[in-house]
Amino acid sequence: MCRAVLLTMATKHPDTDLSTPPSFEKDVGMSSTKEDVNAGIPDPDAGKTEEERHAIDTTLLHSLDLKLIPWLCLLYLASFLDRTNIGNAKLDGLLTDLHMSSGQYAAALSLFFVSYAGFEPLTNILLKRLRPSVFIPGIMVLWGIVMTCMGLVKSFSGLAAARWFLGMAEAGLFPGVTYYLSCWYKRKEIGIRTAIFFSAAALAGSFGGLLAAAIAKMKGVGGQPGWAWIFILEGLATIIIGLLSYFFVHDFPDDAKFLSGDNRLRVIRRLKSDNQSSAEHEEFKMAYFWASVKDWKTWAFAVIYMGCDGALYAFSLFLPTIISELGFSATKANLLTVPPYAAAAVVTVFVGWLADRTQQRGWCNVGCSLIGIAGFAMLLGSTDPHAKYAGTFLGAFGIYPCVANTIVWAANNTEGVYKRGVTLGFVIGWGNLNGVVSSNIYRAQDKPNYRLGHGVVLAYMVLFLLGGSLFTHFMLVAENKKRLAGKRDGRVAGLSRSEIELLGDMRPDFIYTV
């Protein structure tokens, strides 16, 4: 009867704390109180009322947001701008000046994703070992240098080499920052913050079109074409931001200099109360790597992310080209990319807020994917320029919110400092590897309708994003029912408290976010 009531509460009240099933408490002698979860960690607010504690926690959360989120958004804006500005450069004569074919252009795009995806699974381990304040500024300066050099290339081989090294240098930012945020916030708090962070990608697309249209007018300055100045100036800006990041990117909670001693304890205690140990030191062991590899959730989330990331790069790399084929000039096509991206940024933040509030991340993915599917169906089936342009809006609404929501969903359901880092690396790396496919499906011979490209993106969204989200949602619901029924309690028989904590999300009291 007790279990049935708890299960009903989990369905009707997503914020209800079901972190410890009743039989689990009895079998291992644990209580569900936050004080027991935080045993051994001093409480700086001992003796304060619940109202006083809540006020302190709210103030702390606002302080963290101001310290962490704005600068991270700027970093990702620079990152996405630098990887996708080649689409704007193409409209300004890149292929003609470098004597490249459309096939060589697609190959250059593909090389970025090969190195980007290949290095991502390793980056979170480096982030943990080198510290965020060193690792993130370091890779930013490196890719800024590569971006600047891209503006000086004179042939396909030079552009291809630059794209390879750009992917290698950028590989650590998105999985690193996603993992980093999961080490600061509770599971029900991270969605909107990751959405705000990722909305910088949509803003980069919007801002990038305006910026490219303005910079391209520098054609002839210093003997360089306009597209070269797009790369040079944006690369130099990235270097400056990277150098400043040493002072604005903070380390993990146990090392962050801006935290007072009491606030450091508060951050660690609030994460422990959420069944997270990510704020604390943990030595790397290969067991964490293999735990991620053997976990079905790693590959389920990789499939889902494949569905939204394959669509994301097709959309962001070729949107200027798609719009230009509707009959607009290069400059106007760049400018017309702004509204879909701006609208997508707003929807991304809204979905992040909604997923946090409902804790129904799977259904949020399903809803957004259906909108995106409708958008690409319009692009595929219509010949009316106005309908196609409207389809780009719906396509953006279906892609951008799902990217952020899927990564948060994976982070919510993976516990352990290094296991979460490895899992996010695998998920994001596999998703980005599909950028190789995205780079080759919008072929010159298919214009102006690009049926192959739109069809492939549509298939990605139906099979992987929609289908994967439904499968994962129902699998997690089924597993939660087993845990609440006590069917997983045997995993902890004879184990000490510390050994139980090392089980991470395999603990019987760890309830998945569905």
Side-chain angles (χ1 to χ4, degrees), residues 24-344:
F24 183 75
E25 297 171 11
K26 180 178 179 182
D27 293 344
V28 302
M30 293 179 68
S31 159
S32 62
T33 64
K34 292 182 180 179
E35 286 71 24
D36 286 337
V37 172
N38 283 305
I41 303 175
D43 184 1
D45 302 315
K48 290 185 171 64
T49 65
E50 285 301 314
E51 290 76 13
E52 290 172 328
R53 285 176 177 271
H54 178 73
I56 291 171
D57 191 65
T58 300
T59 301
L60 174 62
L61 203 56
H62 289 164
S63 174
L64 295 181
D65 289 342
L66 290 174
K67 284 286 186 180
L68 304 177
I69 305 300
W71 194 260
L72 294 177
C73 288
L74 176 63
L75 304 191
Y76 197 58
L77 187 148
S79 167
F80 212 80
L81 198 64
D82 288 345
R83 81 181 66 166
T84 59
N85 57 12
I86 191 169
N88 301 112
K90 178 189 177 186
L91 290 184
D92 198 58
L94 172 70
L95 271 61
T96 301
D97 291 346
L98 297 186
H99 309 291
M100 288 170 52
S101 66
S102 59
Q104 288 176 316
Y105 175 73
L109 296 184
S110 300
L111 283 169
F112 170 89
F113 294 106
V114 172
S115 60
Y116 188 73
F119 284 91
E120 275 183 320
L122 306 174
T123 54
N124 281 345
I125 296 174
L126 293 174
L127 174 70
K128 185 69 177 175
R129 291 193 168 186
L130 296 179
R131 306 195 335 260
S133 62
V134 173
F135 179 76
I136 291 177
I139 63 174
M140 282 202 73
V141 171
L142 287 176
W143 95 60
I145 293 171
V146 173
M147 184 87 269
T148 304
C149 292
M150 196 183 301
L152 305 176
V153 300
K154 303 299 181 184
S155 65
F156 162 70
S157 58
L159 181 67
R163 291 290 293 181
W164 168 272
F165 287 109
L166 183 66
M168 183 188 300
E170 282 200 32
L173 186 70
F174 186 58
V177 170
T178 305
Y179 166 63
Y180 174 77
L181 288 176
S182 73
C183 296
W184 282 93
Y185 295 100
K186 292 182 179 181
R187 290 188 288 169
K188 66 180 182 180
E189 298 167 346
I190 191 176
I192 189 168
R193 289 161 178 88
T194 303
I196 291 171
F197 164 70
F198 184 71
S199 67
L203 291 176
S206 177
F207 179 66
L210 292 171
L211 193 60
I215 295 176
K217 295 184 181 300
M218 293 180 64
K219 181 178 181 180
V221 175
Q224 296 290 341
W227 61 262
W229 282 112
I230 294 174
F231 295 148
I232 294 169
L233 293 183
E234 292 179 8
L236 291 174
T238 298
I239 294 172
I240 294 171
I241 294 171
L243 293 172
L244 291 174
S245 292
Y246 179 77
F247 304 99
F248 290 98
V249 174
H250 303 282
D251 292 324
F252 293 107
D254 53 356
D255 290 322
K257 302 295 188 294
F258 76 91
L259 287 175
S260 65
D262 284 350
N263 278 342
R264 180 172 288 107
L265 290 173
R266 290 181 180 116
V267 171
I268 293 174
R269 287 177 64 84
R270 70 196 311 274
L271 290 177
K272 289 285 285 183
S273 71
D274 194 43
N275 271 347
Q276 296 190 61
S277 57
S278 303
E280 301 177 291
H281 282 294
E282 184 178 281
E283 293 298 320
F284 176 73
K285 299 175 184 176
M286 282 303 295
Y288 300 129
F289 174 87
W290 292 116
S292 175
V293 171
K294 294 175 182 178
D295 191 340
W296 70 269
K297 300 192 307 296
T298 299
W299 307 112
F301 287 121
V303 168
I304 298 170
Y305 197 68
M306 168 186 179
C308 46
D309 230 26
L312 169 72
Y313 287 116
F315 187 87
S316 58
L317 289 171
F318 291 98
L319 183 60
T321 301
I322 293 168
I323 293 178
S324 70
E325 292 302 327
L326 299 181
F328 301 106
S329 66
T331 299
K332 191 167 184 180
N334 275 330
L335 293 175
L336 284 173
T337 63
V338 174
Y341 282 125

Side-chain angles (χ1 to χ4, degrees), residues 19 21 24 483 488-489 491-492 503 506-511:
S19 59
F24 183 75
R483 294 186 178 194
R488 301 302 192 204
D489 292 357
R491 292 174 179 171
V492 300
L503 291 175
M506 296 303 291
R507 289 170 52 177
D509 67 332
F510 188 97
I511 301 302

Side-chain angles (χ1 to χ4, degrees), residues 354-433:
L354 182 65
D356 274 355
R357 188 170 182 83
T358 63
Q359 290 295 286
Q360 296 290 324
R361 302 199 185 279
W363 289 124
C364 286
N365 258 16
V366 169
C368 290
S369 64
L370 290 174
I371 295 173
I373 289 167
F376 275 92
M378 290 169 65
L379 285 167
L380 181 64
S382 177
T383 56
D384 179 7
H386 298 92
K388 286 192 169 188
Y389 188 55
T392 65
F393 281 83
L394 297 182
F397 296 166
I399 296 169
Y400 281 86
C402 288
V403 173
N405 188 56
T406 299
I407 292 304
V408 173
W409 198 14
N412 280 175
N413 291 317
T414 310
E415 182 47 42
V417 172
Y418 282 108
K419 183 185 177 184
R420 182 183 299 165
V422 171
T423 296
L424 290 178
F426 273 125
V427 170
I428 297 173
W430 174 249
N432 283 315
L433 189 59

